[in-house]
Amino acid sequence: MPVTKTKIASPTLEEQLKKKEEAIKWAKARLADPNTIIVDVETTGLLSRDPETKIVSLSMINYKGQVVLTSLVNPERPIPLEVQKIHGIEDRDVKDCMPWSVIGDITAYLMKDKHIVCYNAGFDVHLMVHLFGKYGIPVPDFDVSCAMEMYSQFVGEWSKSKGDYKWQKLPHLAYGSAHDSLVDCQSTLLLMKKMVGDYSDEPDSNDIDLSF
């Protein structure tokens, strides 16, 4: 007999409001926790399509918006032209940069015992952990949550085909180019602030966190 897929009913207004409150509570908790680190990466492609996908840029900021780490990364392979057009990072930009064997080791150290927030954690964190293993870097203990999932709950736009809340694109809230890892970190932080009703100015990218 053919398998019949069970359709998930659209949530009631009460259920939507409950999910929105959960998202706001999450954002408040992350913004109040000194262990929160927002991370974003730019890559050579998608790991699901290319097993040799590498990171070409990585940024980390803390809950105050202070820069913990921002660096280009030498992927030790060519960056496909179609990907260069998305994030603007060319082979010549990374040829003299440190490779993941160095940047990854620093990243793992900074992630230890932190709560990592990414906009689409299933992509960023999955790739970082994959590359830790590929380069023999011990995977640190850390917690993780996805700002995209929480913001999608906050917006409350239901997808009947998905049977869940529609994933929302990261709003470009910080100054600078979209698909720049530091700008995307800052946009994620500003988005979390807006979720809790804080419309203060963008974080200062020259403010460095030296507490580690």
Side-chain angles (χ1 to χ4, degrees):
M1 294 180 62
V3 177
T4 303
K5 292 185 178 180
T6 303
K7 290 187 177 180
I8 300 176
S10 300
T12 64
L13 178 59
E14 183 180 354
E15 289 170 335
Q16 284 184 315
L17 290 174
K18 183 178 179 181
K19 285 293 186 180
K20 184 173 183 177
E21 284 301 318
E22 287 177 2
I24 294 172
K25 184 178 180 181
W26 167 83
K28 286 181 177 178
R30 292 299 97 236
L31 292 169
D33 184 2
N35 282 323
T36 295
I37 297 290
I38 299 171
V39 182
D40 187 80
V41 301
E42 301 301 330
T43 72
T44 60
L46 300 174
L47 187 59
S48 59
R49 298 179 184 174
D50 178 7
E52 294 304 315
T53 296
K54 300 290 181 63
I55 289 171
V56 298
S57 174
L58 178 143
S59 293
M60 309 172 78
I61 65 175
N62 65 15
Y63 73 125
K64 294 180 179 179
Q66 296 172 314
V67 176
V68 176
L69 173 67
T70 185
S71 179
L72 291 172
V73 184
N74 186 343
E76 302 175 295
R77 56 155 290 178
I79 304 171
L81 290 176
E82 62 270 23
V83 181
Q84 292 183 29
K85 292 177 182 178
I86 295 173
H87 53 50
I89 300 172
E90 302 178 0
D91 292 330
R92 61 184 178 182
D93 298 323
V94 296
K95 66 182 181 68
D96 295 324
C97 296
M98 292 183 287
W100 184 252
S101 56
V102 177
I103 298 298
D105 198 44
I106 296 170
T107 301
Y109 171 77
L110 294 172
M111 289 173 65
K112 181 175 172 56
D113 298 327
K114 302 298 184 182
H115 190 120
I116 303 302
V117 173
C118 297
Y119 204 87
N120 193 0
F123 175 80
D124 296 62
V125 174
H126 177 63
L127 180 57
M128 287 190 291
V129 170
H130 167 77
L131 291 176
F132 287 152
K134 192 177 183 70
Y135 282 79
I137 300 170
V139 178
D141 291 327
F142 63 93
D143 294 319
V144 62
S145 53
C146 180
M148 182 175 71
E149 292 182 5
M150 291 295 107
Y151 181 57
S152 297
Q153 276 188 206
F154 178 84
V155 172
E157 183 179 355
W158 186 255
S159 170
K160 290 183 179 179
S161 60
K162 184 182 172 186
D164 202 347
Y165 291 103
K166 179 182 177 181
W167 285 348
Q168 301 293 319
K169 183 178 179 180
L170 175 64
H172 186 195
L173 300 175
Y175 293 120
S177 302
H179 298 293
D180 174 290
S181 61
L182 181 56
V183 172
D184 284 354
C185 281
Q186 293 169 336
S187 287
T188 299
L189 176 61
L190 288 171
L191 181 64
M192 292 163 64
K193 286 185 173 183
K194 291 182 188 305
M195 288 170 66
V196 302
D198 180 353
Y199 293 88
S200 57
D201 294 335
E202 72 166 291
D204 182 358
S205 60
N206 293 316
D207 192 1
I208 310 297
D209 178 12
L210 300 176
S211 63
F212 56 85

